[in-house]
Amino acid sequence: MPTQRATSHRRGVAPRAATAHAGFAALIACVCALGALLFPTVAHAQVATCIQVSAAGKDSASLTRLVQSELARHRSHQLVKDGCQTTLRIEVIEVDEAMGGGLFLTGSVDGEVPDRVKVEPGRMDRAVEQLLTVLLHNDPRRLSGPERADWFAQQRKAFRVRGINYIGAEVYEVGALVDGRLATLPGLALVARREVDWFHFGVRIAGANQLNSGDDRLTLTSQFTAQLEAALFTSATASTAGFAAVVAGLEFQRFRGPATLSDRESIETATATGFSPGLRLGLELGRYTTTHGLVFAQVLLPTFASHDLDAGVVDQWTPSLSLGAGMVF
């Protein structure tokens, strides 16, 4: 494993500016690199689209607003009242119990072959989302030729067109073995992610810091991370779903302890920064709503060992385990 030389600092002296500047530069680079993925834009011309909704015996006004809202998420089409290039027709059909029962949503574009989805109890929004995804994707006005049946291309397109942006915060407790003892630090993280169905991709900036305990033994006093995250959920539709994620990014560690290489007894600090991948496992709640709660466990396995050549404050590899909870909205 590569060794990361730690930088020592005597008590009361600020860390070297070069280390801090390098950490901030890497953090900013991480965030900028994700900007285009988390908040994508589409430069293609939009198809002017009119909507006709038929919902006999139902609340057609509410359904119309729901269809309009879903249409606005598809960058390939634009809602208009006149000058239509294409017309989207949506109809609600309720089947009598004697014939099997059920509520169905059908739709067509410019008289093309219609498509139909079943409306699950209380999930008209999901039915509208599924129906418009199929209809607008196959709109003859939008298609310029046959599209390859490329699974990765389809997922990339779904992520771009139907993805939803979330931001949120997490609180957690991080623990690490330092010189054979457990060091714990409370932390706070800010997160941003883009999610579609069973997948999300995001960025996290987190910091944990230990208040001065008065103990002069070696301990981990700070940990800061800037991470990219790719996660898979156990279900794209369930209200509660488990998830597993791969995380990778920059990790900054600060230690405090005796200077073993110094001629006189002193307590100093040492810092190290490097690449740190890891895994996250957890459970997300309330996925039907716009605000999701989550609990998680995260393991970080840095690719560097902190080795202080100046004062001998620290010489070890320091993986960590974090337990926490958060919310995104």
Side-chain angles (χ1 to χ4, degrees):
M1 178 178 298
T3 297
Q4 177 73 32
R5 176 174 176 174
T7 304
S8 296
H9 313 285
R10 296 186 181 279
R11 186 178 349 199
V13 179
R16 294 180 184 174
T19 302
H21 291 167
F24 281 118
L27 185 152
I28 292 172
C30 259
V31 174
C32 292
L34 280 178
L37 286 173
L38 293 178
F39 304 96
T41 58
V42 178
H44 304 298
Q46 294 177 309
V47 179
T49 305
C50 293
I51 292 176
Q52 295 180 3
V53 175
S54 175
K58 303 295 179 182
D59 187 353
S60 60
S62 296
L63 180 58
T64 299
R65 290 194 297 271
L66 186 61
V67 173
Q68 292 173 343
S69 175
E70 181 62 28
L71 178 67
R73 295 175 55 195
H74 292 260
R75 306 290 182 86
S76 57
H77 292 70
Q78 181 179 20
L79 177 65
V80 296
K81 292 185 178 180
D82 49 34
C84 313
Q85 292 178 290
T86 191
T87 300
L88 174 65
R89 294 176 174 85
I90 303 293
E91 182 181 3
V92 177
I93 300 176
E94 187 171 7
V95 178
D96 189 83
E97 290 293 338
M99 301 177 63
L103 194 64
F104 297 87
L105 201 62
T106 67
S108 64
V109 173
D110 286 344
E112 296 291 326
V113 177
D115 193 71
R116 180 180 68 250
V117 297
K118 185 175 182 178
V119 181
E120 300 297 334
R123 290 318 309 267
M124 179 64 77
D125 58 334
R126 177 66 69 180
V128 170
E129 177 184 337
Q130 294 174 349
L131 185 62
L132 263 65
T133 297
V134 173
L135 294 176
L136 300 182
H137 175 76
N138 294 299
D139 182 359
R141 295 279 186 175
R142 188 191 66 83
L143 296 177
S144 57
E147 187 168 308
R148 294 180 302 167
D150 185 332
W151 184 88
F152 289 101
Q154 292 172 358
Q155 299 306 312
R156 185 168 60 250
K157 183 174 182 178
F159 186 76
R160 173 174 56 82
V161 174
R162 296 193 292 108
I164 302 175
N165 295 328
Y166 290 93
I167 60 172
E170 299 170 349
V171 292
Y172 62 95
E173 188 83 10
V174 58
L177 286 178
V178 180
D179 198 24
R181 298 185 307 277
L182 179 64
T184 60
L185 302 81
L188 175 68
L190 300 178
V191 298
R193 77 188 198 199
R194 187 170 179 85
E195 177 181 322
V196 61
D197 299 331
W198 47 270
F199 172 78
H200 83 237
F201 188 76
V203 60
R204 175 179 296 98
I205 300 174
N209 190 66
Q210 181 189 65
L211 299 178
N212 190 357
S213 64
D215 191 344
D216 288 340
R217 295 177 297 179
L218 176 64
T219 189
L220 178 68
T221 60
S222 300
Q223 181 199 61
F224 296 94
T225 58
Q227 300 172 325
L228 307 182
E229 175 183 274
L232 297 178
F233 291 95
T234 56
S235 172
T237 58
S239 176
T240 300
F243 66 86
V246 176
V247 296
L250 181 75
E251 179 178 353
F252 169 85
Q253 300 173 347
R254 176 183 285 116
F255 298 86
R256 179 179 182 274
T260 60
L261 300 181
S262 177
D263 294 335
R264 58 187 180 83
E265 291 187 2
S266 62
I267 302 299
E268 300 185 11
T269 62
T271 62
T273 304
F275 179 68
S276 183
L279 297 173
R280 283 169 63 93
L281 298 174
L283 191 68
E284 191 161 289
L285 313 171
R287 289 174 54 77
Y288 281 172
T289 67
T290 56
T291 301
H292 303 179
L294 66 141
V295 292
F296 66 89
Q298 173 179 274
V299 176
L300 289 184
L301 304 171
T303 60
F304 60 93
S306 302
H307 182 47
D308 179 17
L309 298 178
D310 296 331
V313 173
V314 62
D315 183 11
Q316 70 165 58
W317 178 53
T318 313
S320 61
L321 170 66
S322 299
L323 301 176
M327 298 186 71
V328 296
F329 52 89

